[in-house]
Amino acid sequence: MADCPTEGIKLSFLKDLARGDLLDNLKLCDGSKAIFWDPMLKGPFNQIIDWGVLKQHGVKKMFELQEQIPVEVVDNKWQSVIMLIRPNLVMVDLVNTALRSLTVSQREKIDFHIIFVSRKSTMCMQQLEKHNIIGEFKNILELELDLIPFDHDLLTLEYPMGFREMSAELDDSCLYQVSRSLMSLQSYFGFFPNIIGVGPSAAKVNTMIQRMRKEGAAHEKPLTPRIENLVLIDRTVDLITPLSTQLTYEGLIDELFGIRNNTATFPGRAFLSDEEQAQVQDEVKPKQTLLTSNDTIYNVARDLNFNAIGPFLKKKVGQIISQCNIIHYILVSDT
């Protein structure tokens, strides 16, 4: 892995590392490739790598992993089929069902690979053996992807079922993944000098971090800390806030249209003029828009109260019109 940048706290390099690790895994899969995505992973990976880069590395097509493998995978004679999944038993069972949808002779023509994100668990390996399909795979790999950069100041684990697992299923194994991801962050920015926590789960994560620090102390070179404080908040200490109505511009978009993986999906007809809407009879494909701080106007507007967004946008439109008039005047004067 590459060294951490030496200036400031920049998180974008984590995206480059994740992209590099994924491409390294793809290089282990020979020939033309088809990727079958765990539905929960496709959105996060869209933040890391785009279709053009995958195409350059031999990926011919991508599919959502389902119970049937499309016939075109066999017909097109693609050499490698890659299952990119989370390490849980449900996904392993789905992989088994998908493989069984092909005949033995069809499977013999294809090299199958699994990439577990973010680790290869013992239970998943046992489940593969139980289904008697572990020998079907040429490679069983893992892609260490914990914290995914969604913006220059935002990292996410993308673990939407964590709260349910802990509260309903009494399974707190997700805390290990939280602890490991924070240890990974410390490997780039140094140990957190101060750890502040609220709630029992925060205490457990802190205990795991301290234990992992002691276990790795003899093997790691200490770095100068560049993140001074880590604040851990257990969701159970505040169950009301997630139910509150969001009052910012970004919150309004989320309430009305939904934001998932930094992407909002808007009705396609909203982008058509009245005349175009009258002419179009068929369903218009929804338009997806990536929402990040790279958009200078959105970067300011996202945190404004929705009552303030109208005057703000009106002012911005006025500035744009003024700049266009100046440019037009200059062009006319030159001619």
Side-chain angles (χ1 to χ4, degrees):
M1 286 190 175
D3 292 332
C4 176
T6 55
E7 73 282 1
I9 302 298
K10 293 186 177 180
L11 303 177
S12 58
F13 80 99
L14 294 173
K15 186 180 296 186
D16 298 330
L17 292 177
R19 185 187 303 111
D21 288 346
L22 174 60
L23 294 178
D24 286 342
N25 278 328
L26 292 182
K27 290 175 184 177
L28 299 176
C29 308
D30 298 327
S32 54
K33 308 169 183 67
I35 293 180
F36 285 79
W37 293 94
D38 178 333
M40 297 296 294
L41 290 178
K42 189 173 182 181
F45 271 91
N46 282 339
Q47 306 291 321
I48 295 170
I49 195 165
D50 58 39
W51 165 243
V53 176
L54 291 173
K55 193 174 181 180
Q56 291 171 7
H57 287 77
V59 178
K60 300 300 181 182
K61 197 165 184 179
M62 298 188 293
F63 305 87
E64 183 175 307
L65 182 59
Q66 297 178 343
E67 294 182 349
Q68 297 280 334
I69 291 181
V71 180
E72 66 177 295
V73 173
V74 179
D75 293 343
N76 285 313
K77 298 181 180 180
W78 293 327
Q79 184 174 345
S80 292
V81 167
I82 303 164
M83 312 287 191
L84 210 150
I85 64 172
R86 292 166 294 148
N88 66 51
L89 300 184
V90 173
M91 294 310 303
V92 173
D93 291 342
L94 185 57
V95 166
N96 174 61
T97 304
L99 283 181
R100 302 291 183 189
S101 70
L102 298 177
T103 65
V104 174
S105 60
Q106 287 175 326
R107 296 202 297 268
E108 288 176 347
K109 299 175 183 178
I110 301 171
D111 293 335
F112 290 97
H113 313 264
I114 288 184
I115 301 177
F116 284 106
V117 181
S118 59
R119 69 184 189 280
K120 184 168 51 180
S121 72
T122 302
M123 290 184 65
C124 287
M125 296 301 293
Q126 291 173 345
Q127 193 76 348
L128 288 172
E129 291 178 351
K130 179 182 176 181
H131 289 307
N132 197 30
I133 59 171
I134 196 166
E136 297 277 355
F137 295 97
K138 185 175 181 179
N139 287 303
I140 299 179
L141 309 167
E142 60 183 9
L143 176 61
E144 295 185 9
L145 180 66
D146 292 316
L147 292 169
I148 303 169
F150 267 19
D151 213 329
H152 69 91
D153 58 353
L154 176 64
L155 299 172
T156 173
L157 266 178
E158 284 303 284
Y159 203 125
M161 302 304 291
F163 184 77
R164 172 182 168 176
E165 290 175 2
M166 291 189 60
S167 58
E169 301 172 10
L170 303 180
D171 176 8
D172 64 356
S173 58
C174 63
L175 297 182
Y176 173 78
Q177 188 167 345
V178 172
S179 304
R180 198 181 78 159
S181 68
L182 292 171
M183 286 300 297
S184 177
L185 198 62
Q186 290 178 100
S187 69
Y188 300 113
F189 298 112
F191 288 151
F192 308 122
N194 304 304
I195 299 180
I196 305 165
V198 180
S201 294
K204 290 180 181 179
V205 170
N206 183 37
T207 300
M208 290 183 190
I209 290 175
Q210 301 304 329
R211 186 178 69 246
M212 291 176 182
R213 282 183 179 182
K214 292 177 182 178
E215 292 172 352
H219 310 287
E220 296 182 2
K221 182 179 178 181
L223 300 174
T224 302
R226 284 191 281 160
I227 299 177
E228 186 173 343
N229 298 299
L230 169 66
V231 181
L232 301 169
I233 302 176
D234 186 342
R235 181 75 276 165
T236 59
V237 303
D238 176 20
L239 297 174
I240 302 300
T241 297
L243 305 177
S244 303
T245 301
Q246 303 177 73
L247 301 179
T248 63
Y249 177 58
E250 185 174 52
L252 186 63
I253 294 174
D254 189 29
E255 295 281 351
L256 295 177
F257 305 104
I259 299 175
R260 187 173 182 81
N261 301 311
N262 261 20
T263 302
T265 302
F266 300 102
R269 286 188 172 273
F271 297 87
L272 301 178
S273 65
D274 293 339
E275 293 78 8
E276 289 173 330
Q277 291 189 32
Q279 294 173 1
V280 176
Q281 302 297 327
D282 299 330
E283 187 73 20
V284 180
K285 186 178 179 180
K287 181 178 178 61
Q288 292 190 329
T289 302
L290 186 64
L291 305 175
T292 71
S293 57
N294 292 332
D295 185 321
T296 54
I297 294 179
Y298 181 74
N299 187 37
V300 177
R302 67 193 310 172
D303 295 324
L304 293 178
N305 184 285
F306 59 71
N307 288 322
I309 195 65
F312 170 77
L313 293 178
K314 183 178 180 180
K315 179 180 178 182
K316 284 295 180 182
V317 169
Q319 291 174 349
I320 292 171
I321 291 174
S322 177
Q323 291 173 358
C324 289
N325 290 337
I326 292 173
I327 294 172
H328 177 71
Y329 175 78
I330 293 173
L331 291 175
V332 172
S333 299
D334 290 341
T335 57

